[in-house]
Amino acid sequence: MIARRTLLGAALGAPLAACAPPATAAVRIWAMGNEAAHLPALLAGYDTAHPGAAVSVQALPWTGAHEKLLTGFAGGSLPDVAQIGNTWLAELTALGAVAPLPADAATFTADQFPAVLDTNRIGGRLMALPWYVDTRLQFVRTDLFARAGYDTLPTDWAGWKRALHAVKRAGGDGRYAILLPVNEFEQLLTLALQTGEPLLRDDDTRGNFRSAGFKAALAFYVSLFREGLAPIVSAAQIANVWTEFARGFFAAYISGPWTVADLKARLPADLTGKWATQPMPGPDGPGAAAPGGSSLVVCRTARDPAAAWQLVRHLSTVGVQARFAQLSGDLPARPSAWRAAGLAADPLMAPFGVQLARARAVPKVPEWERIVSEMQIVAEQAVRGSRTIDSAAAEIDARVDRLLEKRRWMVEKDRAA
Amino acid sequence: MTAETRAGWVFTTPALAAIALFFALPAAASLLLSFTDFDIYALADLGNLRFVGLDNYARLFGNPLFWRAVRNTLWFVVLGVPLTVALSLAAAVLLDARTLRWKPVWRVALFAPYVTTLVATAVVWRYLLHTRYGLVNYALASVGIGPVDWLGSPTASMPAILIFVAWKTFGYNMVIFLAALQTVPQELHEAARIDGAGAWTRFRHVTLPAIAPTVLLVSILSIAGFFQLFAEPYVMTQGGPDQSTVTILYFMYEEGFKWWNLGTGSAVAFLLFVMIFGVTLLQLWFAKRVAPQ
Amino acid sequence: MVREAGGAAMKARAILLNAAAVVVALVTLAPLMWMVAVSFMAPGEAAAFPPPLVPAHPTLDNYRTLFETYGIGRYFANSLLVSSLATGLALLFVVPAGYAFAKLRFRGRDRIFQLLVAALVIPGQIGMLPLFLELKALGLVNSYAGVLVPWLAGIFGIFLVRQYCLAIPTEMLEAARVDGASEGAILRRIVLPTLQPILVALALFVFLGSWNDFMWPLIILSDDRLYTLPVALAALSREHVQDNELMMAGSVVTTLPVLILFLALQRYYMRGLLAGSVKG
């Protein structure tokens, strides 16, 4: 077997050697979507500044990134550095897949948003360095809202919904007020966080989705579809979000900062100035949202941890962060980079700062990713009318309790130990 | 030990070793694994592995999504097998007609989708089935059928995938049917024709009885194939909308390789095996009853 | 008179039949033709109603983007390599075994073969999860060796080769033995030449099968530098749902090689298919 492997390795290496740089010394980094696309530009000149430090970037699709990281862990093929969604950190830490920040990390943990840094602290240790922060808010076609009689948007749920109804009426048949892809959990999660009710209970070992707060959020979410304000579609069915936004198929859309760059690049010129970003409405006044964003981790299996941390450090310097923000539209993790990039003065970007100030963290359990995807699956059934609000809430709790069974056992075991 | 015997062992050992190591052993281990709660925690530390007996199975039977996957898969089988068999038989009869020219050309043309790369053609069909810009809805609109939300509505998503699978696989069955049709005695046809039997009557009373065993064989192969749908929903719908296209294998993939619940995933795999095995036994029983050979 | 009318009816029917064949073939090939047409369109051109069938200004931009920005050339090379290796290795493992099960007498031969045939009903996906763990233990995850492993255990290939070998007259082999030929030489000089058509068919099955294979490479490969075309295309299509024309170009690059290969060798392919489907 071993002999065959080396043979195969030799056979496989030969034809590719011609077109690939020797990958021995390169630090391997996995990044997602938009961020991966801009990494090469951020790394231009990195190897001249750090002789002998080559970097090889692998782009993962966002939809498959989480499973890819787990597969990488299971198969022992993780890279040296990885971009991870902040909510995945608890899981990767529980697996022992990531290394804590080194002792001398104080230099790059200064100048960060405290709330975001706190989400990266697991069991008292800092496990990842924030790379960019984000949160979700609304992208709105101001011209369509103005046509419907709304020059500013209401900040409470009831008023906001009235505004959406007005837009829908003005838009007529075949058009909608807002796009909420039914396969994305973020929108419902945002509404649920706004109610202030914790989503898990009992030391995060049981679901808390039958609470009055979550039910209210779910009922509001479902009503947006039931009342014809949002089309019942998944993201895969919208051939092209920008085109549809430009055509007025919907007038509002909840997304993150990366969409600003997308819209700037893709919307036709005659729409300039006809769209804006707006913080989210809440149950009774401006609402919260989940602090999103990505951090960089160094995997425990990194071949050269020092080189890996060096790369992380480089990506978090203020200059690189500011440049990254300009390229990708992501919001830098370091407040001083906000100023350097001129984001605070940008009318499209400033609302994100406002929204971040109202961020509310999600539970730090390894199963979180699966919990929210189950939540969304059941919520979709409620949207399609095959479940009532009460039965959906009960079903989510039942599924979440099932998911957390192992965690309950492990918490017990730890108490016993 | 003669030279011949020795050669027999030498020739078969590599293949048998590979089969034992990479096929039989994992298949057997699957059953063992399904009695544990092997998951991502156990991957990190085997101390987190528990022997849970039949819990995985009990939990699966209590999991609505599992039943959903079983139901979806059975629907795929029940709707898909007759559809593809009928399509391929019709195509075979058409190509078997004596007055048809350039038969080889048509045969290759209709078979071509079968050899195309599934992932690539699934991507193509995802666009063909697009609600507003898709060619399929455009064709339907021209005969007055309103736009169907193929991949977006839980009721249309399964027919959408069925159309794709039928398009992709009917050529294979057609070739097998064509071979079977060659064996139908021409003089029987002639005799029936002289008796004044129409084309449909001849087909029912002459052709069908002659190729019945082949129809059975093709149905069985199709059933096994439909039980193993995975890539189609993975690429076209990712199991959606509203999980209407989650198949058993897709469910296994998600349990096993997305969430790393290898225990549950193995239980699913084993149950899938039991189902296919059951169908195969039925086939043998059926074949004995229908076509005693 | 009657006969003439009959002749005219026959002729009309024949024309109808031929027309029907043309229509069916067109409908069947339409998706593939549309794929090719759209791959030459400008970005966004296909997202219109009615859907355009021919590019307004044919362009190679999508292909350029694919090769320059997304490096699809590498995935193409990867696929070519994996499929060639799978084909070579599968033949190496399967052909001698199939011949031995047909023609060489050794103890337990038929019992083992019956077991193999029974195992044909077990779908390969059953053992996927443990196989992953097994390969992890062997250190073969994220390597082509891991991708190739299932092709070594080709029971169907053994079955096919055995079917074909049964027709070889035993006297011929015996005569060669009397002449002092070794078993290996018999396999090489006598058996392989007679097996040629089925070897081409089998090679074609494995090559197309491994080229089109998706689930296993998707699971076992985590490094995108190793991706095969289908895996790369699926990843791309999840990321670029909106870029319809680009995706069609990617589909063309993925599908065209197997189509060409099939067209060139379709006679062998069909023969092998029919030989294999006569399972009783």
Side-chain angles (χ1 to χ4, degrees):
Chain A
M1 203 71 228
I2 300 299
R4 169 149 348 110
R5 228 179 104 199
T6 47
L7 254 179
L8 269 177
L12 300 182
L16 297 181
C19 55
T24 44
V27 175
R28 297 158 303 158
I29 177 168
W30 285 1
M32 278 76 99
N34 190 23
E35 290 72 42
H38 295 296
L39 256 181
L42 295 180
L43 295 169
Y46 180 73
D47 48 355
T48 46
H50 308 274
V55 182
S56 88
V57 180
Q58 169 164 349
L60 309 177
W62 263 110
T63 44
H66 180 257
E67 47 195 289
K68 207 75 204 167
L69 279 164
L70 289 187
T71 310
F73 166 75
S77 54
L78 282 173
D80 304 311
V81 179
Q83 170 193 357
I84 59 158
N86 285 349
T87 48
W88 309 344
L89 187 60
E91 180 176 26
L92 292 169
T93 304
L95 296 176
V98 295
L101 264 63
D104 64 340
T107 47
F108 45 99
T109 54
D111 179 31
Q112 300 269 359
F113 289 99
V116 179
L117 203 56
D118 189 53
T119 55
N120 286 357
R121 208 171 267 118
I122 311 276
R125 293 167 86 187
L126 207 49
M127 300 304 292
L129 189 68
W131 188 21
Y132 65 85
V133 290
D134 77 43
T135 185
R136 301 207 170 203
L137 41 62
Q138 346 170 40
F139 286 74
V140 292
R141 283 280 304 274
T142 42
D143 56 337
L144 298 181
F145 274 92
R147 191 181 66 183
Y150 283 89
D151 289 326
T152 55
L153 260 76
T155 55
D156 63 303
W157 282 0
W160 186 63
K161 195 198 263 186
R162 277 196 298 275
L164 294 178
H165 269 294
V167 168
K168 165 83 182 165
R169 272 196 304 274
D173 269 356
R175 295 190 170 201
Y176 294 89
I178 185 166
L179 175 70
L180 303 164
V182 286
N183 61 331
E184 292 180 1
F185 64 83
E186 288 87 350
Q187 290 82 353
L188 174 57
L189 178 63
T190 301
L191 297 174
L193 286 170
Q194 291 177 341
T195 65
E197 195 115 42
L199 294 166
L200 299 180
R201 58 191 173 83
D202 295 1
D203 193 10
D204 288 348
T205 60
R206 287 191 183 278
N208 194 30
F209 291 86
R210 273 170 300 185
S211 61
F214 180 78
K215 279 187 189 172
L218 179 64
F220 182 69
Y221 176 75
V222 169
S223 74
L224 295 174
F225 295 94
R226 289 266 150 248
E227 295 170 25
L229 300 171
I232 303 180
V233 295
S234 73
Q237 283 170 262
I238 296 291
N240 185 323
V241 171
W242 312 289
T243 319
E244 304 296 0
F245 191 58
R247 289 179 186 171
F249 180 59
F250 51 85
Y253 165 54
I254 297 175
S255 189
W258 58 89
T259 303
V260 173
D262 279 341
L263 290 177
K264 277 182 181 166
R266 307 221 185 201
L267 285 184
D270 61 327
L271 277 179
T272 312
K274 293 183 180 169
W275 58 279
T277 53
Q278 291 274 332
M280 290 297 294
D284 19 84
S294 288
S295 297
L296 292 168
V297 293
V298 169
C299 299
R300 212 176 268 279
T301 50
R303 283 176 299 206
D304 183 353
W309 284 115
Q310 187 183 55
L311 175 65
V312 172
R313 203 182 284 252
H314 168 78
L315 289 172
S316 104
T317 50
V318 175
V320 175
Q321 286 255 308
R323 174 144 171 66
F324 185 38
Q326 282 151 353
L327 284 173
S328 66
D330 284 330
L331 306 174
R334 309 186 81 163
S336 54
W338 279 61
R339 291 187 288 278
L343 291 172
D346 180 339
L348 289 170
M349 286 306 195
F352 285 98
V354 176
Q355 187 70 65
L356 265 171
R358 286 200 294 267
R360 191 169 278 155
V362 299
K364 296 182 202 174
V365 296
E367 294 83 1
W368 184 248
E369 198 61 22
R370 187 151 195 197
I371 287 172
V372 282
S373 69
E374 291 289 333
M375 171 192 83
Q376 189 57 32
I377 285 166
V378 178
E380 187 181 343
Q381 294 170 348
V383 164
R384 294 182 185 275
S386 57
R387 272 185 195 281
T388 62
I389 301 298
D390 285 349
S391 97
E395 177 64 22
I396 297 173
D397 260 351
R399 291 187 184 196
V400 169
D401 287 356
R402 233 189 347 250
L403 289 175
L404 290 169
E405 186 276 333
K406 184 106 175 191
R407 179 174 159 81
R408 283 198 292 281
W409 175 73
M410 290 184 49
V411 167
E412 292 296 315
K413 201 172 72 158
D414 285 350
R415 284 212 191 102
Chain B
M1 180 125 123
T2 66
E4 185 182 342
T5 309
R6 199 169 42 240
W9 285 112
V10 170
F11 287 170
T12 51
T13 300
L16 290 177
I19 290 166
L21 198 60
F22 301 126
F23 179 77
L25 181 71
S30 193
L31 184 60
L32 287 180
L33 208 53
S34 72
F35 299 131
T36 70
D37 72 344
F38 200 110
D39 59 2
I40 194 89
Y41 294 114
L43 269 173
D45 174 5
L46 276 178
N48 293 326
L49 182 70
R50 290 177 293 175
F51 179 79
V52 295
L54 293 172
D55 274 8
N56 285 328
Y57 293 92
R59 216 178 276 179
L60 274 179
F61 292 145
N63 181 347
L65 180 56
F66 172 71
W67 289 114
R68 185 90 204 247
V70 171
R71 219 170 39 236
N72 288 343
T73 307
L74 290 178
W75 268 119
F76 271 121
V77 170
V78 167
L79 295 173
V81 173
L83 174 75
T84 46
V85 170
L87 260 182
S88 44
L89 189 51
V93 169
L94 175 68
L95 294 203
D96 194 48
R98 276 178 310 167
T99 44
L100 187 68
R101 295 168 184 214
W102 304 322
K103 280 184 194 182
V105 176
W106 308 130
R107 192 177 67 163
V108 168
L110 299 194
F111 190 83
Y114 183 76
V115 296
T116 55
T117 310
L118 203 154
V119 173
T121 41
V123 168
V124 173
W125 275 83
R126 213 172 58 190
Y127 292 108
L128 286 172
L129 293 164
H130 191 275
T131 313
R132 273 173 303 156
Y133 312 127
L135 214 51
V136 174
N137 274 355
Y138 177 61
L140 288 177
S142 65
V143 292
I145 298 174
V148 180
D149 189 2
W150 288 109
L151 298 176
S153 100
T155 41
S157 57
M158 189 174 292
I161 288 186
L162 278 176
I163 292 172
F164 169 62
V165 175
W167 169 81
K168 194 160 178 339
T169 56
F170 88 100
Y172 177 88
N173 296 338
M174 178 193 76
V175 168
I176 295 176
F177 280 136
L178 268 174
L181 288 173
Q182 305 293 318
T183 64
V184 180
Q186 276 302 322
E187 50 273 21
L188 278 182
H189 263 292
E190 287 304 327
R193 197 190 305 262
I194 287 160
D195 289 347
W200 173 243
T201 319
R202 288 205 306 276
F203 174 76
R204 268 198 48 198
H205 294 285
V206 179
T207 312
L208 259 189
I211 61 166
T214 312
V215 175
L216 184 73
L217 172 87
V218 165
S219 313
I220 299 302
L221 290 178
S222 304
I223 288 173
F226 273 103
F227 262 113
Q228 296 172 47
L229 276 190
F230 164 74
E232 295 85 346
Y234 182 92
V235 177
M236 288 172 83
T237 56
Q238 283 159 48
D242 192 15
Q243 301 180 305
S244 57
T245 54
V246 171
T247 60
I248 298 177
L249 205 54
Y250 189 89
F251 181 75
M252 182 198 100
Y253 172 86
E254 291 234 313
E255 279 295 321
F257 292 110
K258 184 171 179 184
W259 307 114
W260 290 96
N261 291 327
L262 296 186
T264 322
S266 297
V268 177
F270 184 71
L271 289 170
L272 177 67
F273 166 66
V274 168
M275 285 181 215
I276 293 181
F277 190 69
V279 168
T280 310
L281 283 184
L282 268 180
Q283 151 207 1
L284 293 174
W285 174 82
F286 210 74
K288 274 208 186 79
R289 292 267 322 253
V290 175
Q293 280 168 351
Chain C
M1 194 75 194
V2 173
R3 192 183 288 170
E4 255 174 50
M10 287 282 278
K11 201 166 270 178
R13 187 175 295 173
I15 289 169
L16 259 177
L17 256 174
N18 282 288
V22 173
V23 169
V24 171
L26 273 181
V27 169
T28 305
L29 294 179
L32 299 176
M33 297 192 277
W34 186 81
M35 161 181 89
V36 174
V38 174
S39 73
F40 294 115
M41 287 183 191
E45 193 180 333
F49 197 85
L53 299 180
V54 281
H57 310 285
T59 164
L60 285 171
D61 280 356
N62 297 315
Y63 290 94
R64 210 166 289 131
T65 310
L66 270 183
F67 279 91
E68 285 170 9
T69 313
Y70 298 108
I72 204 166
R74 162 183 283 275
Y75 305 129
F76 188 91
N78 289 351
S79 268
L80 204 60
L81 184 71
V82 168
S83 295
S84 309
L85 283 169
T87 309
L89 286 168
L91 288 180
L92 208 62
F93 273 61
V94 156
V95 174
Y99 160 68
F101 279 119
K103 286 290 166 194
L104 298 178
R105 286 173 300 252
F106 55 95
R107 248 212 350 222
R109 180 187 80 174
D110 296 338
R111 174 88 25 101
I112 295 173
F113 186 72
Q114 274 161 3
L115 268 178
L116 290 187
V117 171
L120 270 176
V121 302
I122 303 176
Q125 296 94 342
I126 295 288
M128 238 178 213
L129 301 156
L131 183 59
F132 181 91
L133 295 178
E134 188 184 316
L135 292 180
K136 185 190 174 198
L138 293 170
L140 295 182
V141 169
N142 197 24
S143 76
Y144 286 155
V147 177
L148 293 168
V149 146
W151 298 101
L152 306 181
I155 298 179
F156 177 72
I158 294 177
F159 174 84
L160 201 62
V161 173
R162 178 179 174 271
Q163 284 288 83
Y164 222 83
C165 284
L166 287 174
I168 300 173
T170 310
E171 300 80 42
M172 204 159 77
L173 305 177
E174 287 299 346
R177 285 192 184 110
V178 172
D179 290 346
S182 71
E183 295 296 330
I186 293 173
L187 175 65
R188 263 197 318 275
R189 287 199 216 116
I190 299 171
V191 179
L192 284 187
T194 45
L195 285 184
Q196 204 220 342
I198 204 71
L199 291 190
V200 176
L202 187 60
L204 204 49
F205 288 158
V206 177
F207 192 92
L208 298 186
S210 54
W211 181 280
N212 296 341
D213 193 17
F214 174 63
M215 193 172 178
W216 186 242
L218 171 80
I219 288 163
I220 210 85
L221 296 175
S222 56
D223 189 345
D224 70 343
R225 297 157 52 90
L226 299 177
Y227 279 0
T228 56
L229 268 176
V231 179
L233 187 70
L236 267 180
S237 80
R238 280 193 164 197
E239 196 75 343
H240 297 270
V241 171
Q242 280 89 1
D243 300 327
N244 181 349
E245 298 75 17
L246 186 73
M247 283 299 103
M248 288 307 114
S251 301
V252 170
V253 172
T254 308
T255 285
L256 212 56
V258 282
L259 268 178
I260 291 171
L261 201 62
F262 163 72
L263 288 178
L265 298 169
Q266 56 102 6
R267 210 172 325 135
Y268 292 101
Y269 188 100
M270 295 290 180
R271 206 188 299 175
L273 185 152
L274 291 172
S277 68
V278 192
K279 289 193 252 184

